[in-house]
Amino acid sequence: MRRALIAGNWKMYKTTSEAVALASEIKKGAAGAPSDVLIAPPFTALAPVVSVLEGTSIAVAAQNMHFEKEGAFTGEVSAPMLKDLKVANVILGHSERRQYFAETDEGVARKTKAALDNEIMPISCVGETLAERESGKTMDVIGRQVNTILKALTIAESTRIVIAYEPVWAIGTGKVATPEQAQEVHAFIRQCIAKFHGAQVADALRILYGGSVKPDNVKGLMSQTDIDGALVGGASLKADSFLNLVHYDKQ
Ligand code: 13P
């Protein structure tokens, strides 16, 4: 059985004091959640948020990371630096990083491997653009993105990752994929994993859906066989809407 995961990606929102206030509210409201809960504040708020959540089961993630341990890479942050802050998770290859910061499939694969080498759980993101979907290329694109990541990993390593399917056309647009559209791609991703690393790994690995997840659509998405959770942007920035997602069974 895969345990569900509801993850909030705060993107470039929240000063440190705002982040501490939001994390404190989430901490109060998340008790009794039917899923694992994770939040990903900006780098500047990681340490204070870790300290707010100490002793709880709410996990903290960074939103990006470099693949080298250290070096002359101005502006970058490494896995050992995250570990040092007790940040044990990282979102990698988000479509905004691919689109605005020129991240490639190979770079995302390399970062995924680097995170695992440092005992950080990667949430590695894939997703097609609207043009790719409309020209019938969705499965080609997703297959290429997923396989590039899997190729970099051993079977044992693959059991320690989370994949997030975030169709680019659904991010921040209010245009959510239907549960059936999302399920179709999630099932395809699971097939890719099964082909590459076997059914056991494929069955155990969590695949999150992201893109305009809100309290009023979460239940339909979560009821799909291959959807194991959500990676949430906009609705994770306010305690009430995020907590409604965390308690998706009550929606
Ligand atoms: P929205 O929930 O705002 O569409 O963002 C999704 C996302 O990009 C999460 O990583």
Side-chain angles (χ1 to χ4, degrees):
M1 260 311 270
R2 298 181 295 268
R3 186 163 163 80
L5 170 62
I6 303 292
N9 173 11
W10 293 0
K11 306 193 180 183
M12 198 174 73
Y13 292 97
K14 307 292 173 191
T15 61
T16 297
S17 57
E18 290 166 349
V20 164
L22 179 55
S24 309
E25 282 188 79
I26 292 170
K27 176 177 161 176
K28 273 189 241 149
S35 64
D36 289 342
V37 180
L38 173 148
I39 53 180
F43 283 128
T44 45
L46 283 172
V49 166
V50 164
S51 124
V52 168
L53 298 177
E54 214 173 328
T56 74
S57 59
I58 302 172
V60 179
Q63 300 172 16
N64 180 32
M65 183 197 92
H66 198 274
F67 47 76
E68 292 290 354
K69 284 197 164 86
E70 61 180 8
F73 300 106
T74 301
E76 292 291 321
V77 169
S78 72
M81 292 170 186
L82 296 178
K83 260 190 95 176
D84 185 47
L85 297 183
K86 302 199 181 76
V87 172
N89 309 276
V90 65
I91 297 171
L92 296 172
H94 190 281
S95 70
E96 287 149 16
R97 302 244 17 118
R98 292 175 185 260
Q99 190 178 350
Y100 305 125
F101 302 96
E103 294 218 8
T104 61
D105 294 343
E106 288 70 25
V108 176
R110 204 165 166 192
K111 289 181 175 194
T112 302
K113 171 84 174 122
L116 292 167
D117 287 347
N118 287 279
E119 285 152 356
I120 291 177
M121 183 189 82
I123 301 176
S124 300
C125 304
V126 299
E128 81 287 3
T129 62
L130 185 59
E132 288 162 343
R133 174 160 283 264
E134 285 178 342
S135 56
K137 293 199 189 111
T138 299
M139 300 312 183
D140 289 347
V141 171
I142 301 297
R144 188 198 72 222
Q145 293 175 337
V146 170
N147 287 331
T148 308
I149 294 167
L150 294 175
K151 240 188 278 172
L153 309 179
T154 64
I155 292 182
E157 284 168 343
S158 294
T159 60
R160 292 162 48 215
I161 72 170
V162 171
I163 289 182
Y165 167 57
E166 298 203 307
V168 178
W169 50 270
I171 296 178
T173 58
K175 220 174 153 188
V176 64
T178 64
E180 294 72 26
Q181 277 176 323
Q183 166 59 27
E184 187 188 15
V185 179
H186 281 231
F188 173 74
I189 293 172
R190 215 175 288 290
Q191 270 172 30
C192 293
I193 301 162
K195 268 196 205 144
F196 222 101
H197 286 321
Q200 223 177 335
V201 176
D203 284 345
L205 201 149
R206 291 186 288 189
I207 307 172
L208 312 183
Y209 168 79
S212 297
V213 177
K214 308 280 181 231
D216 65 358
N217 60 32
V218 67
K219 214 168 174 182
L221 290 161
M222 292 300 287
S223 68
Q224 298 295 317
T225 331
D226 290 296
I227 300 184
D228 307 313
L231 182 53
V232 186
S236 73
L237 296 173
K238 287 210 167 89
D240 57 351
S241 53
F242 187 63
L243 288 170
N244 279 331
L245 294 174
V246 162
H247 296 283
Y248 62 87
D249 53 331
K250 308 242 162 61
Q251 297 310 303

